[in-house]
Amino acid sequence: MRISIMTLFPEAVDAMMNESIIGRARRDGKLTICYYQIRDYTKNKQKQVDDYPYGGGMGMVMYADALYNCWADIKATSPDAYTIFMSPQGSVFNQEKAKKLSTEHSHLILVCGHYEGIDERFIEECVDEEISIGDFVLTGGEIPAMAITDAIARMLPGVLSDEECFSEESHFDGLLEYPQYTRPSVWHDREVPEVLLSGHHANIKKWRREQSIIRTYQKRPDMIESAPLTPKEKKFLENFKKEHEI
Ligand SMILES: C[S@@+](CC[C@H](N)C(=O)[O-])C[C@H]1O[C@@H](n2cnc3c(N)ncnc32)[C@H](O)[C@@H]1O
């Protein structure tokens, strides 16, 4: 997988994307991240990338031309690259989208806006999809680009030690993950659930699945409606509700 990030702040993004699991994936050749400094693609002497909005109003808008020159440079050698604009107006990113992007494309171009945003004509001409990381507004697209890169990268083959590392996690199959514990077995008088110390794998698996169902119901009732539960699990949830509801 190759991810090309168009940004005014490549160093800031790289500082984060060189660490830990993503940094190791890059060094191992499982993921390539390239940065494109949008400012390098301006044709004016001052290297200005933005200007006042037509019609007046607050803030500055990034030039379509600087963005286009940068984008065209990437597309020239990779015509199939899929272009995503980081935007609070896009569809909201989730695990399902991360899965889709990690399997359906071998090269993504992530465009980071800044200031008031970017000239609409660049979006019309060059962008395949707009993605938001939530219903709030950030100062730039760099944090969204890092979040999306991270979520995609950890699902690429070989990046994590085992597929189970992400396939059992929250959101992968429509449920939240079960609670996790590590040593010591008693901390501040709080004991780790006994079943986890039993070494009985089938019981542990069953307990974890039930915990996933319970926490999804308690923490994200909006998710439990569409969670893929078996008839037996639905019955388990109904019983749990009866026992715990007033
Ligand atoms: C201050 S925002 C511009 C917001 C724009 N004026 C609007 O109201 O839709 C500057 C840039 O940050 C990025 N950005 C801000 N919030 C975002 C979000 N929730 N998801 C993805 N990108 C975001 C986008 O690239 C955007 O162009």
Side-chain angles (χ1 to χ4, degrees):
M1 164 70 81
R2 184 181 185 88
I3 299 184
S4 297
I5 302 180
M6 289 172 48
T7 170
L8 292 172
F9 304 98
E11 293 83 6
V13 180
D14 195 45
M16 190 68 203
M17 297 281 100
N18 246 334
E19 294 294 331
S20 185
I21 295 167
I22 307 301
R24 193 179 59 217
R26 291 175 73 186
R27 288 188 286 280
D28 291 349
K30 302 199 167 93
L31 167 71
T32 303
I33 302 179
C34 300
Y35 303 100
Y36 292 83
Q37 169 56 271
I38 299 163
R39 205 174 289 283
D40 291 345
Y41 292 85
T42 52
K43 294 205 173 111
N44 61 71
K45 266 202 224 125
Q46 301 78 20
K47 296 267 176 207
Q48 190 180 333
V49 289
D50 56 345
D51 214 329
Y52 295 103
Y54 276 123
M58 300 296 291
M60 303 289 269
V61 175
M62 288 173 71
Y63 288 131
D65 207 45
L67 289 159
Y68 178 80
N69 294 338
C70 181
W71 175 83
D73 193 22
I74 305 170
K75 287 288 262 192
T77 52
S78 189
D80 293 334
Y82 189 73
T83 306
I84 303 171
F85 173 47
M86 306 296 109
S87 165
Q89 301 181 20
S91 57
V92 178
F93 190 63
N94 59 19
Q95 194 69 31
E96 192 55 39
K97 174 58 80 178
K99 229 186 285 179
K100 208 165 176 304
L101 292 174
S102 74
T103 50
E104 289 185 0
H105 304 280
S106 55
H107 186 179
L108 299 174
I109 301 174
L110 306 185
V111 183
C112 304
H114 225 82
Y115 315 115
E116 234 355 80
I118 70 176
D119 191 307
E120 189 67 21
R121 293 166 294 183
F122 173 79
I123 303 174
E124 288 165 7
E125 193 160 319
C126 309
V127 169
D128 294 308
E129 183 169 358
E130 294 182 56
I131 294 183
S132 164
I133 60 160
D135 292 339
F136 45 82
V137 178
L138 300 165
T139 55
E142 284 72 18
I143 291 172
M146 285 193 270
I148 289 170
T149 301
D150 190 298
I152 291 171
R154 64 200 299 285
M155 283 198 285
L156 297 175
V159 171
L160 298 182
S161 54
D162 200 298
E163 191 174 307
E164 222 175 74
C165 295
F166 59 83
S167 65
E168 291 218 339
E169 276 182 320
S170 301
H171 301 292
F172 191 84
D173 67 348
L175 290 173
L176 302 180
E177 193 185 53
Y178 46 81
Q180 297 272 19
Y181 303 87
T182 187
R183 285 185 287 183
S185 61
V186 182
W187 178 82
H188 289 197
D189 290 337
R190 292 166 189 275
E191 290 179 14
V192 168
E194 215 177 308
V195 63
L196 298 179
L197 310 175
S198 69
H200 193 301
H201 297 299
N203 286 354
I204 293 173
K205 198 170 172 205
K206 180 171 177 283
W207 180 86
R208 285 180 163 168
R209 180 75 183 171
E210 288 174 356
Q211 290 298 313
S212 273
I213 295 169
I214 292 169
R215 10 183 76 186
T216 308
Y217 165 65
Q218 289 176 326
K219 294 186 177 189
R220 290 290 303 270
D222 59 310
M223 282 173 63
I224 202 75
E225 295 303 317
S226 51
L229 302 183
T230 64
K232 210 171 154 193
E233 289 169 341
K234 282 185 184 151
K235 186 106 187 104
F236 163 79
L237 180 61
E238 284 316 311
N239 289 339
F240 177 85
K241 284 186 195 172
K242 271 187 213 142
E243 280 166 31
H244 292 82
E245 272 165 13
I246 313 145

